[in-house]
Amino acid sequence: MKRFTLLSILGCMLTALLCLPLTATAKGGYKSVSVGEKHVMVLKEDGTLWGWGRNLYGELGDGTTTERTRPVKILDGVRQVSAGDFCTMSIFDDGTLWGWGSNGYGELGDGTTTKRNRPIKILDGVKQVSAEGAYTMAILNDGTLWGWGYNNYGQLGDGTATKRKRPVKILDGVKQVSVGGSHTMAILNDGTLWGWGYNGHGQLGDGTTTERNRPIKILDGVKQVSVGEFYTMAILNDGTLWGWGYNDYGLLGDGTTTERKRPVKILDGVKQVSTGTFHTMAILNDGTLWGWGVNNKGQLGDGSITNRNRPIKIAEGVRDVACGNSYTIYITKDGELMECGEL
């Protein structure tokens, strides 16, 4: 009897470390995912937005501050969503930007510091949004980049350290933006990568640890960028993945724990990368999912709690992935949601 009990316990522990389908969700139909520190937002193919997890600041947008263990429907007609640590920003099909959740530093951009548990309209004509920490960056249809919220390290890139409760213009000709804990990276239309904000671990990639409150050029020929807490990962046009910044737990994936102030090559044939607080996940061109970095909660999904300083294969047939604080959510090519780690 004791042996059976022990095996049962071990089996449950192993199950908790593997990536498993999320319960109480409809099979298939999921298109993209974005995660905050402790909440998840997913878009379905029909344009509906769903959320679950922590809701202390109203970051789910369901009109309450009740934590949800199952997905609840939030909105219709959504094109893109970005979950910050404690807030959420979403672009509708008509290009309007809406926000909800924490707003202590003006990160919603509505001119106040009032938290919202329901969506409030912020801007028109928005193409892409990225929220993290306590600030937000958005690209308009005309390619201009705007930022608002916390700015203590110059992460808005407006040349100051002044927090902004309403959007301020930062750059022209921007194609993609990604924000982290306190630094920002943007790809311009010409493929150049620019960075600004906190740089204490070399996360800007300019070879220094000098804080920047205005954009500085880092690389050419960049296709996608993802910003973690204190590090950065970028995919070049040739499909190679490069990383730089903080590396204590091997989250760069270069086989070391050495901090990097300039980009180092990690992988070939990469289609998408997602950075968390201290772990990284990448989808290769063949649809395989690879992970590395901190794994204390099983967030890599390899069946262990062993930290990895080199990429390890996790799954096949993956279309989208997002890394949270100590968990990972990914979507299979069949539109099924999978969860690893601890939300």
Side-chain angles (χ1 to χ4, degrees):
M1 180 63 72
K2 288 182 180 179
R3 182 171 178 271
F4 177 77
T5 302
L6 178 60
L7 287 175
S8 298
I9 293 171
L10 290 174
C12 290
M13 289 174 65
L14 179 60
T15 298
L17 298 176
L18 297 173
C19 295
L20 298 174
L22 282 163
T23 57
T25 61
K27 274 275 188 182
Y30 291 95
K31 178 183 178 183
S32 64
V33 57
S34 182
V35 301
E37 185 179 83
K38 290 287 183 180
H39 76 290
V40 181
M41 306 299 296
V42 291
L43 264 179
K44 296 191 75 172
E45 294 283 0
D46 62 4
T48 56
L49 179 67
W50 299 69
W52 70 96
R54 186 181 59 192
N55 198 22
L56 183 64
Y57 301 95
E59 53 261 55
L60 296 184
D62 65 347
T64 77
T65 53
T66 303
E67 183 174 328
R68 306 290 184 177
T69 58
R70 298 166 182 252
V72 292
K73 183 179 173 182
I74 309 299
L75 288 169
D76 292 290
V78 177
R79 188 173 71 200
Q80 191 230 325
V81 64
S82 181
D85 280 351
F86 311 108
C87 71
T88 305
M89 306 298 295
S90 184
I91 304 173
F92 280 26
D93 288 334
D94 63 3
T96 56
L97 177 69
W98 298 66
W100 57 94
S102 175
N103 198 24
Y105 295 95
E107 56 262 48
L108 296 185
D110 66 343
T112 77
T113 54
T114 304
K115 69 178 181 181
R116 311 284 184 176
N117 60 20
R118 288 196 184 278
I120 183 170
K121 184 179 173 182
I122 309 300
L123 281 173
D124 291 293
V126 180
K127 183 166 60 175
Q128 191 232 324
V129 65
S130 183
E132 188 60 56
Y135 74 110
T136 305
M137 306 294 294
I139 304 171
L140 272 56
N141 291 332
D142 62 4
T144 56
L145 178 68
W146 297 69
W148 57 94
Y150 191 60
N151 195 27
N152 202 43
Y153 299 100
Q155 57 263 56
L156 295 184
D158 65 347
T160 78
T162 304
K163 81 175 179 184
R164 307 289 184 176
K165 291 184 283 189
R166 290 197 182 277
V168 292
K169 184 179 173 182
I170 309 301
L171 279 173
D172 292 292
V174 180
K175 183 167 62 175
Q176 192 227 325
V177 65
S178 180
V179 304
S182 302
H183 76 290
T184 307
M185 306 296 293
I187 303 172
L188 271 57
N189 290 331
D190 62 4
T192 56
L193 179 68
W194 297 67
W196 57 95
Y198 182 62
N199 197 26
H201 300 281
Q203 57 262 53
L204 296 186
D206 65 346
T208 78
T209 54
T210 304
E211 194 174 291
R212 311 285 183 176
N213 61 19
R214 289 198 183 277
I216 182 171
K217 183 179 173 182
I218 308 300
L219 281 173
D220 292 291
V222 180
K223 183 167 60 175
Q224 190 228 326
V225 65
S226 183
V227 174
E229 187 74 14
F230 301 118
Y231 73 110
T232 304
M233 305 295 296
I235 304 172
L236 271 56
N237 290 332
D238 62 4
T240 56
L241 177 68
W242 297 69
W244 57 95
Y246 188 73
N247 197 24
D248 271 14
Y249 303 98
L251 59 167
L252 295 184
D254 66 345
T256 77
T257 54
T258 303
E259 195 166 271
R260 306 291 185 176
K261 298 183 185 71
R262 290 198 183 276
V264 293
K265 184 179 173 182
I266 310 301
L267 278 173
D268 292 291
V270 180
K271 182 169 64 174
Q272 183 195 338
V273 65
S274 177
T275 52
T277 306
F278 297 119
H279 76 290
T280 309
M281 306 295 288
I283 303 172
L284 271 56
N285 291 330
D286 62 4
T288 56
L289 178 68
W290 296 68
W292 58 95
V294 170
N295 197 25
N296 63 316
K297 300 293 185 181
Q299 53 262 58
L300 297 185
D302 66 345
S304 80
I305 53 170
T306 303
N307 295 343
R308 307 288 183 177
N309 62 17
R310 288 196 184 278
I312 183 169
K313 185 177 175 181
I314 307 301
E316 297 181 350
V318 177
R319 68 183 292 184
D320 194 29
V321 64
C323 298
N325 185 26
S326 56
Y327 67 102
T328 301
I329 306 287
Y330 70 85
I331 301 175
T332 69
K333 287 185 177 179
D334 295 328
E336 186 176 14
L337 281 171
M338 307 290 287
E339 180 179 24
C340 324
E342 182 178 284
L343 175 57

